[in-house]
């Protein structure tokens, strides 16, 4: 009996060894996980628009791109994001298309500091240059800005460049106005307090700070005439035309305006296959983007090249050429 039991034990052990040798490599190969692609997405401040959009994009990529491990990180927004791309610290970034243009051409805040190692995926939604005054100021046209206290944005900011370029189309320089280099919040407070006559604000509309002013003060949106907008776009191709609807701010009339675009860019070292997969994943899941922030409703495949200010990445180009 003991001898028979011993023989059975030996047979079982040998069978196990044979099974291990025969199928081990195949099982090991099957269990091997796909190589992970770590994808860092630069966004903006946690209270802004870029951060929730970037978070939604990371979630979409993780669910739809095999092997992807994407994460969104809070940053100082457009200019900081370009520099992070330059230094290889992030793979994707949300930035304004005018900032992308300045970086790729070495102009404005990137003068003599050209950044060339990134390409476009898509433009997303408009960030409108709103020229805001109080009705009691009597300002109705940009020509009326001469001699007035004008908040043009923080020194060296994208808004300040927008203001200067628009004024240029009307033959107005900073010598013709009382320039005030104020941030977004400071400009809104200045209008409310009567320390500013007109303010340039680059943001999606309706803008909460302007809505707040309009509760107690009748505001006017100063329009940009079509011919001036055309000449502006001819010189600076990152601008697009847009209309600000009537009553966007209580009692304010419709106004013709121009906008820059929020856009998604990518480090040019990323492969075309990966960029194609990421682009397809995002544009196949726009409902998730819309759920992350109201501006998501403005992100469409049809408008994804409006105001594209840098060269498109081949992977994105492949996706957008598909029917």
């Amino acid at each position: 009996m003991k001898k028979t039991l011993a023989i059975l034990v030996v047979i079982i052990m040998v069978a196990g060894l044979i099974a291990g040798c025969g199928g081990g490599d195949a099982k090991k190969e099957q269990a091997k996980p796909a190589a992970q692609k770590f994808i860092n997405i630069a966004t903006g401040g946690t209270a802004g628009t870029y951060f929730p959009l970037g978070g939604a994009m990371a979630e979409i990529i993780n669910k739809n791109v095999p092997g992807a491990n994407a994460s969104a990180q809070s940053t100082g927004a457009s200019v900081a994001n370009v520099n992070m791309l330059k230094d290889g610290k992030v793979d994707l970034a949300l930035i304004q298309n005018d900032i992308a243009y300045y970086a790729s051409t070495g102009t404005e805040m990137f003068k003599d500091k050209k950044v060339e190692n990134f390409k476009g995926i898509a433009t997303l939604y408009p960030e409108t240059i709103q020229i805001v005054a109080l009705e009691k100021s009597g300002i109705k046209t940009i020509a009326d800005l001469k001699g007035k206290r004008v908040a043009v944005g923080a020194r060296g900011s994208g808004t300040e460049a927008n203001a200067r370029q628009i004024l240029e189309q009307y033959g107005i320089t900073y010598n013709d106005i009382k320039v005030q280099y104020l941030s977004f919040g400071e400009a809104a407070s200045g209008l409310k307090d009567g320390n500013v006559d007109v303010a340039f604000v680059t943001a999606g509309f309706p803008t909460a700070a302007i809505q707040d002013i309009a509760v107690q003060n009748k505001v006017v949106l100063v329009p940009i005439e079509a011919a001036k907008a055309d000449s502006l776009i001819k010189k600076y191709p990152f601008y697009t035309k847009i209309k600000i609807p009537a009553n966007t701010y209580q009692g304010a009339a419709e106004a013709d305006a121009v906008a820059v675009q929020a856009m998604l860019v990518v480090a040019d070292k990323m492969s075309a296959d990966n960029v194609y997969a990421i682009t397809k994943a995002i544009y196949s899941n726009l409902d998730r983007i819309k759920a992350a922030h109201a501006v998501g409703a403005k992100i469409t495949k049809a408008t994804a090249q409006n105001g594209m200010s840098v060269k498109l990445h081949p992977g994105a180009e492949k996706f957008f050429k598909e029917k």
Side-chain angles (χ1 to χ4, degrees):
M1 183 69 180
K2 289 183 179 178
K3 186 175 181 181
T4 303
L5 184 60
I7 290 170
L8 285 171
V9 170
V10 171
I11 290 170
I12 290 168
M13 290 176 65
V14 170
L17 285 170
I18 291 170
C21 292
D25 289 345
K27 288 180 181 177
K28 188 175 181 182
E29 188 63 34
Q30 289 173 357
K32 185 180 179 182
Q36 282 199 324
K37 297 185 283 284
F38 291 95
I39 299 168
N40 296 316
I41 306 172
T43 63
T46 55
T49 305
Y50 287 179
F51 186 71
L53 290 181
M57 288 178 182
E59 183 181 313
I60 289 167
I61 291 167
N62 289 336
K63 287 182 177 179
N64 295 279
V65 179
N69 185 344
S71 60
Q73 60 187 90
S74 175
T75 70
S78 293
V79 174
N81 292 354
V82 169
N83 287 321
M84 293 175 80
L85 280 166
K86 178 191 69 176
D87 296 337
K89 294 179 179 178
V90 296
D91 306 288
L92 296 172
L94 289 155
I95 63 176
Q96 287 182 193
N97 67 337
D98 53 341
I99 303 300
Y101 177 84
Y102 301 145
S104 65
T105 57
T107 52
E108 294 291 347
M109 67 286 293
F110 288 96
K111 184 173 174 58
D112 301 324
K113 296 179 287 186
K114 186 185 288 190
V115 181
E116 298 179 285
N117 65 333
F118 71 94
K119 289 191 169 55
I121 287 182
T123 52
L124 303 173
Y125 61 89
E127 298 196 77
T128 304
I129 294 86
Q130 301 169 75
I131 308 171
V132 188
L134 301 187
E135 186 181 53
K136 63 186 179 184
S137 70
I139 295 170
K140 295 180 180 178
T141 69
I142 292 180
D144 295 335
L145 267 57
K146 289 186 177 181
K148 298 294 194 297
R149 298 166 297 174
V150 182
V152 297
R155 192 183 296 272
S157 67
T159 299
E160 190 269 322
N162 298 149
R164 183 161 24 84
Q165 291 159 2
I166 290 168
L167 291 172
E168 175 186 56
Q169 299 304 312
Y170 288 82
I172 298 174
T173 71
Y174 282 179
N175 292 328
D176 302 314
I177 61 174
K178 297 173 183 175
V179 178
Q180 299 196 25
Y181 294 102
L182 300 176
S183 69
F184 177 93
E186 291 168 339
S189 296
L191 274 173
K192 188 187 292 186
D193 298 340
N195 296 321
V196 167
D197 297 310
V198 63
F200 282 78
V201 176
T202 301
F205 61 77
T207 304
I210 301 173
Q211 284 180 309
D212 181 53
I213 297 168
V215 171
Q216 295 182 331
N217 303 273
K218 184 85 179 288
V219 299
V220 172
L221 295 170
V222 183
I224 298 176
E225 293 89 340
K228 299 296 186 184
D230 288 338
S231 62
L232 179 73
I233 293 166
K234 185 175 181 180
K235 184 169 183 179
Y236 303 104
F238 45 79
Y239 285 108
T240 56
K241 291 181 181 179
I242 195 168
K243 284 186 182 291
I244 304 174
N247 291 312
T248 294
Y249 305 108
Q250 191 173 319
E254 177 185 86
D256 290 321
V258 293
V260 291
Q261 299 280 327
M263 68 184 295
L264 181 64
V265 298
V266 60
D268 59 6
K269 66 181 180 182
M270 189 179 287
S271 73
D273 287 345
N274 283 346
V275 174
Y276 173 84
I278 288 169
T279 309
K280 183 176 181 179
I282 290 171
Y283 279 87
S284 299
N285 292 276
L286 290 178
D287 284 350
R288 175 66 188 91
I289 300 290
K290 185 177 178 180
H293 196 284
V295 298
K298 298 179 181 179
I299 300 175
T300 69
K301 187 175 180 180
T303 60
Q305 302 308 309
N306 290 356
M308 176 58 67
S309 58
V310 295
K311 189 174 180 180
L312 204 60
H313 193 285
E317 186 173 15
K318 178 184 174 182
F319 173 76
F320 289 113
K321 280 184 176 178
E322 292 179 347
K323 298 295 184 182

